[in-house]
Amino acid sequence: MKSEQFIMIGLVVAILIGIVAVFVASGNPDGLESTALVVQDQKALLGDTPDDAEIHEEEEGRFAYESPFPDYTMGEDGGKMGELAVIVLGTIIALILAFAIGKVAMAKKS
Amino acid sequence: MHIPDAFMPIWQGGIYWIIALIFIFLALKWARNELTEDKIPMVAVLSAGIFAIQAFNLPVGFGTSGHLVGGALVAILLGSPYAAVFVLTLVLIIQGVIFGDGGLTTMGANILNMGVIGGFIGYYSYWGLHQATKKVYLSAAIAAWLACFISALACAVMMWLAGTFPLVPGLVAMGTYHALIGIVEGAITAGAIYLLLQARPEFSDAVTGVNAA
């Protein structure tokens, strides 16, 4: 497969994965979040995650940052379309950035 | 296992950042010396694919979900743990800065866990297993599982040092959940290597060790 063709197919597949993820990805906490709930006595190790479980976060002496698209959303009003747009945007940025940095690094070969 | 800013004191994040920067420097050196016109498309597609698939949380039971991290995948396909550091650093920067997935002060820690530990464990356990069994996909799946599991234990130790988790319960819970998430990591890593080698058979030399140093 030619490089251009491989990149285009790869990008399309990646975007499709992202689109499917918006609709079917599990909303359960990930391993780190689940562990936080366990050690904060909100969840049993081998039990389900209660609907009202919430991770207590330390704020004192911790850095806080508001990202442009928190949690891969366009905020409350963005809805599913917003989520689709940001996942496609992120996927394209990842591809272009990797390609560009790779090219620049390669060009510096002496 | 993206550590958010709130889970770690800033100064500890700074220490992990300094260590991560050494590996990022080495990864850029790898890119300068090893990247070729043939490899750049693979690096780009892996970065895009890993970004997308990290948004795809699969349920693993016990009210928990997980997704592919991808360090083992990148390291095995591109034949270097530094390739994993390169790709995972990029993906983590995009996730942290644009989407708030993983903190900024904790990004160094996340790069160390997922890129460095994931990449090195994935790469070297793959080669050990491959030498012993000669089986590419089985070795890749087990190596990816190990990469996920060991990264999670390292993350638990960081969380203990940060005062966020107690040591033993943190290790037990992180280990339990990522032993399950590692099955996702192993299956997708083996499947992705198969598909990517179908599209780009020239990478099979790196995977089977024909030209490996």
Side-chain angles (χ1 to χ4, degrees), chain A residues 1-4 6-8 10-11 13-15 17-18 20-22 24-40 43-49 55-59 61-73 86-110, chain B residues 1-10 28 31-38 40-45 47-67 86 90-91 93-101 104-105 155 159 162-166 169-178 181 196 198-202:
Chain A
M1 196 182 288
K2 280 211 178 98
S3 287
E4 295 76 16
F6 175 72
I7 290 177
M8 287 319 294
L11 180 61
V13 171
I15 287 174
I17 291 170
V20 175
V22 166
V24 307
S26 166
N28 281 333
D30 72 10
L32 180 67
E33 293 162 342
S34 277
T35 301
L37 292 171
V38 169
V39 301
Q40 291 175 8
K43 172 187 182 317
L45 178 65
L46 303 181
D48 271 338
T49 302
I55 297 170
H56 167 75
E57 293 194 340
E58 187 70 43
E59 284 168 16
R62 302 292 155 94
F63 184 77
Y65 167 71
E66 196 61 47
S67 68
F69 304 113
D71 284 328
Y72 305 93
T73 66
V86 297
I87 199 81
V88 171
L89 175 75
T91 308
I92 293 172
I93 292 175
L95 185 109
I96 292 174
L97 210 56
F99 191 87
I101 295 174
K103 280 275 188 195
V104 170
M106 198 181 83
K108 294 205 166 164
K109 197 177 327 206
S110 45
Chain B
M1 64 183 100
H2 292 55
I3 304 169
D5 285 310
F7 276 22
M8 188 180 278
I10 295 170
L28 286 170
R32 195 185 62 196
N33 294 330
E34 301 294 328
L35 277 184
T36 55
E37 290 293 344
D38 277 352
I40 287 180
M42 182 61 88
V43 170
V45 165
S47 300
I50 287 172
F51 172 82
I53 211 163
Q54 287 205 359
F56 206 148
N57 277 66
L58 292 166
V60 297
F62 307 128
T64 301
S65 70
H67 56 70
F86 185 90
L90 242 155
V91 169
I93 289 172
I94 296 170
Q95 289 172 329
V97 172
I98 306 181
F99 303 101
D101 188 10
L104 300 188
T105 57
C155 181
M159 291 294 85
T164 303
F165 297 168
L171 283 169
V172 168
M174 283 297 279
T176 304
Y177 297 134
H178 289 88
I181 295 168
L196 288 163
Q198 296 293 310
R200 302 284 275 183
E202 61 270 35

